[in-house]
Amino acid sequence: MTETSVRIDGNRLSLPGGASVRFVRTLRLPETGTHPLPPGLGEFPVRRVADYADTVPEEWRARGGVMLPVYLREAMWLSFAGTREPAALQVGVGKVCAVSGRPWSDRLSRDPQNYVVLPRQPWLDGINSGSGTVRQFVAVPLGTGATVEGQVTGAEVWGGVQLQAFTLSAPELLRWREEERRRRESAPRGARPGGAFGAPAPAAAPAAPG
């Protein structure tokens, strides 16, 4: 059965359609140079804003969602799981698309691509900054001009992280399942299962500037 609501499973945020996201604490990298993907240092706990209605700011209550206890200037990366069938996941930071580095749109786009394909992509370690480089997800205060939102849009209004997941339509999902069935049947005996969407995560991480 396809989930239709957002829920929290431990420190994992489960989205409609089955995709899930974990927010992983990591080392803050220097802001110059190119660096390997830093290690994970544990997961940030995820809590529903509604469960703390008496203590969170009014604007948080109005928007709802979830919250993470993150120190200023602390860095993280996002880990994806939860689905074995194709899904598209949009990731925004202050209503700036982390995949394209451009202002957020609720509609999927291929040019420029504004989503990651699950489960093909197991993580996202930052925001597209052009020329094949990314900038880490780092917590900074609104109103200082240091946010990606301020640098891309010229305003600092939203903040936070935005997530939106899309699954295949029923006809496309049936077509994909049939193609997968045929691929498995035509594979040589003893071949390792898996494919474009079932391949394991690569052992080496891509370069990620600070």
Side-chain angles (χ1 to χ4, degrees):
M1 182 177 70
T2 301
E3 293 286 347
T4 58
S5 61
V6 176
R7 55 190 174 83
I8 297 174
D9 297 317
N11 293 331
R12 188 186 301 268
L13 186 65
S14 296
L15 305 175
S20 65
V21 180
R22 291 184 299 118
F23 304 86
V24 184
R25 179 182 283 108
T26 190
L27 295 175
R28 175 79 185 278
L29 297 174
E31 295 187 2
T32 58
T34 299
H35 312 275
L37 184 68
L41 301 175
E43 300 171 4
F44 288 103
V46 181
R47 299 291 184 266
R48 294 196 320 147
V49 170
D51 292 340
Y52 297 83
D54 294 337
T55 56
V56 299
E58 169 58 32
E59 60 185 303
W60 291 22
R61 293 196 296 271
R63 291 183 181 177
V66 300
M67 58 184 179
L68 316 174
V70 185
Y71 285 108
L72 287 179
R73 306 291 177 179
E74 195 167 20
M76 70 177 179
W77 51 273
L78 307 183
S79 175
F80 308 134
T83 178
R84 294 185 177 181
E85 296 178 328
L89 176 67
Q90 289 185 288
V91 180
V93 184
K95 290 285 187 169
V96 171
C97 175
V99 179
S100 68
R102 299 187 181 185
W104 175 271
S105 169
D106 288 329
R107 298 176 62 88
L108 297 180
S109 170
R110 289 186 177 180
D111 187 20
Q113 183 170 322
N114 65 354
Y115 58 91
V116 297
V117 178
L118 305 182
R120 178 184 296 170
Q121 183 154 340
W123 70 71
L124 187 65
D125 48 302
I127 304 150
N128 183 351
S129 57
S131 302
T133 61
V134 298
R135 295 288 178 182
Q136 276 187 298
F137 296 115
V138 177
V140 294
L142 288 176
T144 63
T147 66
V148 170
E149 179 181 2
Q151 295 170 25
V152 172
T153 70
E156 294 180 300
V157 178
W158 290 96
V161 176
Q162 294 78 43
L163 299 168
Q164 184 168 240
F166 297 84
T167 56
L168 292 177
S169 65
E172 289 298 325
L173 182 57
L174 288 175
R175 184 178 296 112
W176 179 84
R177 288 173 175 171
E178 177 62 19
E179 290 175 353
E180 284 294 286
R181 184 187 65 79
R182 292 175 180 173
R183 183 186 60 79
R184 288 193 298 269
E185 290 177 351
S186 63
R189 293 189 63 182
R192 184 178 179 182
F197 293 97

mmCIF file of all heavy atoms in Angstrom, residues 90 95-97 100 102-109 114 164 166:
data_model
loop_
_atom_site.group_PDB
_atom_site.id
_atom_site.type_symbol
_atom_site.label_atom_id
_atom_site.label_comp_id
_atom_site.label_asym_id
_atom_site.label_seq_id
_atom_site.Cartn_x
_atom_site.Cartn_y
_atom_site.Cartn_z
ATOM 1 N N GLN A 90 12.316 15.914 -4.763
ATOM 2 C CA GLN A 90 12.807 17.292 -4.810
ATOM 3 C C GLN A 90 13.318 17.684 -3.425
ATOM 4 O O GLN A 90 12.684 17.369 -2.410
ATOM 5 C CB GLN A 90 11.689 18.246 -5.223
ATOM 6 C CG GLN A 90 11.274 18.130 -6.673
ATOM 7 C CD GLN A 90 10.247 19.184 -7.027
ATOM 8 O OE1 GLN A 90 9.101 19.106 -6.600
ATOM 9 N NE2 GLN A 90 10.650 20.175 -7.804
ATOM 10 N N LYS A 95 13.640 27.309 -0.171
ATOM 11 C CA LYS A 95 12.956 27.400 -1.463
ATOM 12 C C LYS A 95 13.929 27.619 -2.629
ATOM 13 O O LYS A 95 13.598 28.222 -3.643
ATOM 14 C CB LYS A 95 11.909 28.514 -1.444
ATOM 15 C CG LYS A 95 10.700 28.217 -0.567
ATOM 16 C CD LYS A 95 9.764 27.226 -1.210
ATOM 17 C CE LYS A 95 8.480 27.060 -0.395
ATOM 18 N NZ LYS A 95 7.453 26.308 -1.103
ATOM 19 N N VAL A 96 15.147 27.097 -2.477
ATOM 20 C CA VAL A 96 16.104 27.016 -3.578
ATOM 21 C C VAL A 96 16.352 25.538 -3.820
ATOM 22 O O VAL A 96 16.618 24.782 -2.877
ATOM 23 C CB VAL A 96 17.434 27.723 -3.255
ATOM 24 C CG1 VAL A 96 18.491 27.443 -4.327
ATOM 25 C CG2 VAL A 96 17.214 29.221 -3.107
ATOM 26 N N CYS A 97 16.238 25.093 -5.058
ATOM 27 C CA CYS A 97 16.412 23.684 -5.386
ATOM 28 C C CYS A 97 17.876 23.284 -5.189
ATOM 29 O O CYS A 97 18.773 23.860 -5.807
ATOM 30 C CB CYS A 97 15.987 23.420 -6.827
ATOM 31 S SG CYS A 97 16.298 21.728 -7.388
ATOM 32 N N SER A 100 19.371 21.742 -8.719
ATOM 33 C CA SER A 100 19.684 22.653 -9.828
ATOM 34 C C SER A 100 20.385 23.927 -9.375
ATOM 35 O O SER A 100 21.032 24.600 -10.178
ATOM 36 C CB SER A 100 18.394 23.039 -10.565
ATOM 37 O OG SER A 100 17.568 23.851 -9.741
ATOM 38 N N ARG A 102 18.732 26.507 -8.475
ATOM 39 C CA ARG A 102 17.857 27.595 -8.924
ATOM 40 C C ARG A 102 16.635 27.714 -8.017
ATOM 41 O O ARG A 102 16.389 26.824 -7.189
ATOM 42 C CB ARG A 102 17.422 27.340 -10.365
ATOM 43 C CG ARG A 102 18.590 27.280 -11.345
ATOM 44 C CD ARG A 102 18.109 27.208 -12.771
ATOM 45 N NE ARG A 102 19.221 27.134 -13.714
ATOM 46 C CZ ARG A 102 19.078 27.159 -15.029
ATOM 47 N NH1 ARG A 102 17.854 27.253 -15.567
ATOM 48 N NH2 ARG A 102 20.130 27.087 -15.824
ATOM 49 N N PRO A 103 15.861 28.788 -8.155
ATOM 50 C CA PRO A 103 14.662 28.940 -7.327
ATOM 51 C C PRO A 103 13.739 27.732 -7.429
ATOM 52 O O PRO A 103 13.623 27.097 -8.475
ATOM 53 C CB PRO A 103 14.006 30.208 -7.887
ATOM 54 C CG PRO A 103 15.154 31.012 -8.398
ATOM 55 C CD PRO A 103 16.115 30.003 -8.975
ATOM 56 N N TRP A 104 13.068 27.428 -6.348
ATOM 57 C CA TRP A 104 12.215 26.249 -6.223
ATOM 58 C C TRP A 104 11.011 26.311 -7.148
ATOM 59 O O TRP A 104 10.418 27.374 -7.364
ATOM 60 C CB TRP A 104 11.740 26.150 -4.782
ATOM 61 C CG TRP A 104 10.756 25.057 -4.490
ATOM 62 C CD1 TRP A 104 9.396 25.119 -4.564
ATOM 63 C CD2 TRP A 104 11.064 23.724 -4.072
ATOM 64 N NE1 TRP A 104 8.832 23.925 -4.211
ATOM 65 C CE2 TRP A 104 9.824 23.051 -3.907
ATOM 66 C CE3 TRP A 104 12.250 23.041 -3.816
ATOM 67 C CZ2 TRP A 104 9.765 21.717 -3.482
ATOM 68 C CZ3 TRP A 104 12.187 21.724 -3.392
ATOM 69 C CH2 TRP A 104 10.956 21.074 -3.236
ATOM 70 N N SER A 105 10.642 25.158 -7.708
ATOM 71 C CA SER A 105 9.411 24.994 -8.459
ATOM 72 C C SER A 105 8.747 23.712 -7.990
ATOM 73 O O SER A 105 9.426 22.700 -7.769
ATOM 74 C CB SER A 105 9.685 24.904 -9.962
ATOM 75 O OG SER A 105 8.508 24.497 -10.667
ATOM 76 N N ASP A 106 7.428 23.719 -7.833
ATOM 77 C CA ASP A 106 6.709 22.527 -7.405
ATOM 78 C C ASP A 106 6.572 21.499 -8.527
ATOM 79 O O ASP A 106 6.142 20.370 -8.277
ATOM 80 C CB ASP A 106 5.306 22.894 -6.906
ATOM 81 C CG ASP A 106 5.346 23.606 -5.562
ATOM 82 O OD1 ASP A 106 6.266 23.313 -4.777
ATOM 83 O OD2 ASP A 106 4.474 24.443 -5.304
ATOM 84 N N ARG A 107 6.915 21.881 -9.739
ATOM 85 C CA ARG A 107 6.794 20.982 -10.892
ATOM 86 C C ARG A 107 8.161 20.386 -11.227
ATOM 87 O O ARG A 107 9.185 21.073 -11.168
ATOM 88 C CB ARG A 107 6.253 21.735 -12.105
ATOM 89 C CG ARG A 107 4.859 22.312 -11.886
ATOM 90 C CD ARG A 107 4.415 23.122 -13.094
ATOM 91 N NE ARG A 107 4.325 22.297 -14.284
ATOM 92 C CZ ARG A 107 3.234 21.619 -14.644
ATOM 93 N NH1 ARG A 107 2.148 21.668 -13.883
ATOM 94 N NH2 ARG A 107 3.209 20.904 -15.750
ATOM 95 N N LEU A 108 8.151 19.103 -11.601
ATOM 96 C CA LEU A 108 9.388 18.449 -11.988
ATOM 97 C C LEU A 108 9.887 18.990 -13.324
ATOM 98 O O LEU A 108 9.101 19.268 -14.226
ATOM 99 C CB LEU A 108 9.175 16.936 -12.100
ATOM 100 C CG LEU A 108 8.793 16.191 -10.819
ATOM 101 C CD1 LEU A 108 8.620 14.708 -11.103
ATOM 102 C CD2 LEU A 108 9.821 16.406 -9.728
ATOM 103 N N SER A 109 11.192 19.123 -13.433
ATOM 104 C CA SER A 109 11.804 19.638 -14.655
ATOM 105 C C SER A 109 13.033 18.795 -14.988
ATOM 106 O O SER A 109 13.803 18.430 -14.094
ATOM 107 C CB SER A 109 12.212 21.101 -14.466
ATOM 108 O OG SER A 109 13.007 21.548 -15.550
ATOM 109 N N ASN A 114 15.562 19.128 -11.602
ATOM 110 C CA ASN A 114 15.349 19.670 -10.254
ATOM 111 C C ASN A 114 14.915 18.593 -9.267
ATOM 112 O O ASN A 114 14.205 18.866 -8.309
ATOM 113 C CB ASN A 114 14.328 20.813 -10.283
ATOM 114 C CG ASN A 114 12.942 20.357 -10.700
ATOM 115 O OD1 ASN A 114 12.728 19.194 -11.081
ATOM 116 N ND2 ASN A 114 11.981 21.272 -10.626
ATOM 117 N N GLN A 164 9.784 17.065 -1.416
ATOM 118 C CA GLN A 164 8.568 16.687 -2.127
ATOM 119 C C GLN A 164 8.866 15.463 -2.991
ATOM 120 O O GLN A 164 9.804 15.474 -3.777
ATOM 121 C CB GLN A 164 8.070 17.835 -3.007
ATOM 122 C CG GLN A 164 6.761 17.544 -3.710
ATOM 123 C CD GLN A 164 6.142 18.786 -4.342
ATOM 124 O OE1 GLN A 164 5.039 19.184 -4.003
ATOM 125 N NE2 GLN A 164 6.855 19.413 -5.258
ATOM 126 N N PHE A 166 7.597 12.270 -5.649
ATOM 127 C CA PHE A 166 6.663 11.876 -6.698
ATOM 128 C C PHE A 166 6.929 10.418 -7.062
ATOM 129 O O PHE A 166 8.078 10.038 -7.277
ATOM 130 C CB PHE A 166 6.845 12.725 -7.962
ATOM 131 C CG PHE A 166 6.571 14.187 -7.778
ATOM 132 C CD1 PHE A 166 7.565 15.031 -7.294
ATOM 133 C CD2 PHE A 166 5.339 14.724 -8.109
ATOM 134 C CE1 PHE A 166 7.327 16.385 -7.143
ATOM 135 C CE2 PHE A 166 5.093 16.077 -7.954
ATOM 136 C CZ PHE A 166 6.087 16.910 -7.464
#
